[in-house]
Amino acid sequence: MKICGQMNRKELKGAIIGMALGDAHLEASGKNTASVLIEHKADSTDLMDFKCDILNQVCKTTYSKYNYPNGKGYVSGSYDVLRLRAKAHPLFGKLRHRLYFEGRRTVDRHLVNSLSPLGLAIWYMDDGSLKWKGRSDKSRDTSAKCWEVVFATHAYSLVENEALAACLHDRFNLSFSIQRQNQYWYLNLRAKSQEEFWNLAAPYVCMVDSMHYKLPPTILRQYRAEPDTREG
């Protein structure tokens, strides 16, 4: 499944940073290399194909079904997932060296400033959500006042969330507020930045059918009617 065509090293790095900020785990496999592990729900085949298409340009990448017989996280009982593995590579090792500290993922300003629009879209597909706030028919109203874009950055500290927000503003001119949920913090896209955010991310989110629910209906219709073939 070819999604983005052949990408150069800068474009690949920008996309993989988005995976690393999202659901990808970079596993150390030597002094200077790391491998990539990603798990998604069993029905997310198209999202896995999307990521495989990118990672296969770096090294051999495959995915298969994996069963957790005793459940996983909040899911009890037998639970099937799709598990992707990309073989060890120095590029992944360099990213891991900058993104992880004492085994914990943190925020590296240089890497976030290297995030590409494709990487931003991948991160949104992994950790972002679209929340309806309006009162009218969802299929007709996509004004900024009626939709809320949130990134689940709860694993980061307040200081790290502030760093993420600053980097995203510098890189894409996107403005985020930092919201609190109990003892955790997360990013909330300000209404004034929604149009620019969709311009950046929607062309790529449209490529993955199972992620269409994360797009306002009129945005989905717009980019389906006007396909964008940008890379990086």
Side-chain angles (χ1 to χ4, degrees):
M1 181 181 182
K2 290 296 180 184
I3 301 295
C4 301
Q6 194 65 30
M7 302 164 67
N8 62 38
R9 185 177 177 85
K10 181 179 178 181
E11 292 166 342
L12 285 168
K13 179 181 176 182
I16 295 167
I17 290 170
M19 297 185 200
L21 290 171
D23 291 338
H25 178 63
L26 304 181
E27 297 183 328
S29 58
K31 184 177 180 180
N32 298 311
T33 63
S35 59
V36 177
L37 172 66
I38 301 174
E39 288 186 351
H40 286 308
K41 295 186 297 183
D43 60 356
S44 300
T45 304
D46 56 353
L47 182 57
M48 281 301 204
D49 287 337
F50 186 89
K51 293 181 177 182
C52 268
D53 181 46
I54 296 168
L55 291 169
N56 266 317
Q57 296 185 42
V58 178
C59 63
K60 183 174 177 58
T61 304
T62 59
Y63 71 87
S64 59
K65 185 175 288 188
Y66 180 84
N67 177 261
Y68 286 94
N70 299 315
K72 179 188 178 186
Y74 297 107
V75 180
S76 59
S78 180
Y79 182 60
D80 289 332
V81 299
L82 297 177
R83 174 177 284 185
L84 175 152
R85 281 196 178 274
K87 290 188 173 182
H89 192 277
L91 173 59
F92 306 145
K94 290 179 181 179
L95 295 180
R96 189 183 193 282
H97 178 72
R98 299 199 69 127
L99 276 175
Y100 286 73
F101 179 72
E102 295 183 347
R104 176 184 174 273
R105 185 172 57 187
T106 184
V107 176
D108 182 271
R109 288 177 177 267
H110 171 75
L111 287 189
V112 179
N113 283 327
S114 299
L115 186 68
S116 64
L118 172 56
L120 179 67
I122 291 170
W123 184 23
Y124 175 67
M125 287 189 279
D126 281 355
D127 288 347
S129 60
L130 183 68
K131 297 184 178 181
W132 173 250
K133 298 195 303 179
R135 296 180 179 179
S136 60
D137 182 357
K138 293 183 186 181
S139 66
R140 292 192 240 173
D141 197 339
T142 59
S143 68
K145 294 181 180 179
C146 295
W147 296 99
E148 185 175 56
V149 175
V150 170
F151 278 78
T153 53
H154 301 71
Y156 296 113
S157 67
L158 173 59
V159 172
E160 289 169 330
N161 271 282
E162 290 172 342
L164 276 173
C167 290
L168 292 168
H169 186 271
D170 291 343
R171 178 70 179 91
F172 299 114
N173 197 31
L174 297 175
S175 180
F176 286 85
S177 64
I178 300 170
Q179 304 296 320
R180 185 169 186 170
Q181 185 177 29
N182 300 320
Q183 73 269 36
Y184 303 107
W185 305 88
Y186 65 92
L187 296 181
N188 187 303
L189 183 68
R190 295 187 186 276
K192 66 181 181 181
S193 290
Q194 285 199 16
E195 181 177 358
E196 180 59 23
F197 177 77
W198 295 129
N199 286 340
L200 292 165
Y204 302 110
V205 181
C206 271
M207 296 178 180
V208 185
D209 288 352
S210 66
M211 293 288 107
H212 286 180
Y213 74 97
K214 293 194 176 189
L215 294 171
T218 57
I219 296 295
L220 176 60
R221 288 196 294 270
Q222 174 187 338
Y223 284 96
R224 270 181 157 177
E226 303 174 11
D228 192 313
T229 57
R230 293 180 296 180
E231 295 183 7

